[in-house]
Amino acid sequence: MWLAGVFLLFGMAAGTCDVVMNSQALVLERRLGRSIIAGLHGMWCVGSLAAGGVGVLAAHLGIDARVHLAVVSVVLLGLGGLAGRGLLANQSSEGVPAPRRFALPSRAILAVGLVGFCGTFAEGASANWAAVYVTAVASAGPGVAAATYTVFMLCMAATRLIGDRFVRRMGAVAVVRVGGIVAAAGGVLVVAGRTPWLCMAGFALVGVGVAVVVPLVFAAAGDVGDTPGEGIAGVATITYLSGLIAPAVTGWAAGALSYPAAFAMITAIVAVMTLLAGALRPRSRAGAEEGRRLERVAG
């Protein structure tokens, strides 16, 4: 029971840090006058891959998990303390109210959050079930199954690291729509493919297609809330809910119907995300000015 309590506190702290980090990204974006949030989320993927590599190495060397986690915690606390000194102040404009301690999401935040819900659902389902899918449907071996997950994560990381270039050129709405089409094509390939390599290619396309959705959803959330933190907190709640239920719903659908049917459902969710991408259109003065600047660059 005490371990469950520790994980609850860990999750609360992680969620708070996510809101702060994304709010900080928006402050920095506005100071620089260009999109950078996708690349910052790309570094999250790089960190996840690095953490997995460190975990594999620790297991290979026979290091006790308690020692491994204790050392990692001390290192991360030190790095976090140093990084926190460089955070920028989020100075609100005149007339903008202070962030509320509790606020229900507005209609605009719900619209942006729904796009994030769809993108996170596809991301979470693919990350948790890709390896199982290729094993159960395409009779892949353990090595190919592990490689499928790795390829999915690498595609997400690479797309996020270069995604800001496309956002600056095309704008957030167009990037999410194109990404949705790519992810839907990947979903069709996953459902229709019956060989490990076709399924792997499908999951790679899903990774490319949904990679920048969450970063751009957070960026849009900062424009639709009364304050950036309030908007991001509301959207984060919706996207975290999606990440929580996506693996379970996918497993239930696969058990009740089939794995291809479950991923056909996910493909339909991606299609809905594509249709709703217009909710990410800039609304605030700062966001609108950035949107107009991107349109001028694209033109």
Side-chain angles (χ1 to χ4, degrees):
M1 289 296 294
W2 66 267
L3 186 59
V6 169
F7 274 118
L8 177 63
L9 292 175
F10 178 82
M12 293 170 64
T16 302
C17 288
D18 270 359
V19 173
V20 173
M21 286 188 293
N22 281 285
S23 297
Q24 184 70 190
L26 293 183
V27 172
L28 188 55
E29 273 195 350
R30 289 171 182 175
R31 290 198 179 190
L32 295 175
R34 57 191 177 90
S35 175
I36 61 168
I37 195 168
L40 297 179
H41 278 253
M43 293 306 297
W44 176 87
C45 290
V46 172
S48 296
L49 291 169
V54 171
V56 170
L57 179 62
H60 179 72
L61 295 176
I63 298 174
D64 188 281
R66 292 167 293 183
V67 174
H68 169 213
L69 293 176
V71 171
V72 169
S73 297
V74 171
V75 171
L76 291 180
L77 280 172
L79 292 175
L82 290 174
R85 295 181 179 181
L87 295 179
L88 302 172
N90 184 8
Q91 298 177 346
S92 299
S93 304
E94 286 188 31
V96 176
R100 291 171 286 180
R101 293 182 181 274
F102 176 81
L104 293 174
S106 66
R107 185 174 299 178
I109 290 175
L110 288 174
V112 173
L114 185 55
V115 178
F117 183 95
C118 295
T120 304
F121 197 101
E123 178 183 334
S126 298
N128 283 274
W129 287 96
V132 177
Y133 187 96
V134 296
T135 301
V137 175
S139 302
V144 174
T148 301
Y149 169 79
T150 303
V151 167
F152 171 78
M153 288 301 298
L154 285 173
C155 286
M156 283 198 62
T159 304
R160 283 179 173 174
L161 290 173
I162 65 172
D164 289 307
R165 299 179 184 179
F166 296 100
V167 176
R168 295 168 200 158
R169 183 177 296 274
M170 302 166 57
V173 175
V175 168
V176 171
R177 282 178 177 160
V178 172
I181 293 170
V182 171
V188 171
L189 192 57
V190 167
V191 172
R194 289 296 185 270
T195 67
W197 304 112
L198 283 177
C199 291
M200 184 185 293
F203 281 113
L205 289 176
V206 173
V208 169
V210 302
V212 298
V213 174
V214 170
L216 294 181
V217 160
F218 279 125
D223 285 331
V224 299
D226 289 336
T227 65
E230 193 172 302
I232 289 172
V235 167
T237 302
I238 298 170
T239 56
Y240 287 170
L241 175 64
S242 177
L244 179 66
I245 68 173
V249 171
T250 303
W252 174 84
L257 302 171
S258 67
Y259 285 104
F263 275 87
M265 173 192 69
I266 293 165
T267 303
I269 290 173
V270 170
V272 171
M273 179 194 79
T274 307
L275 296 174
L276 298 177
L280 305 188
R281 191 167 287 108
R283 294 170 184 264
S284 71
R285 180 177 299 176
E289 289 176 355
E290 175 65 7
R292 285 194 293 269
R293 189 187 68 79
L294 289 170
E295 288 174 359
R296 288 196 298 270
V297 172

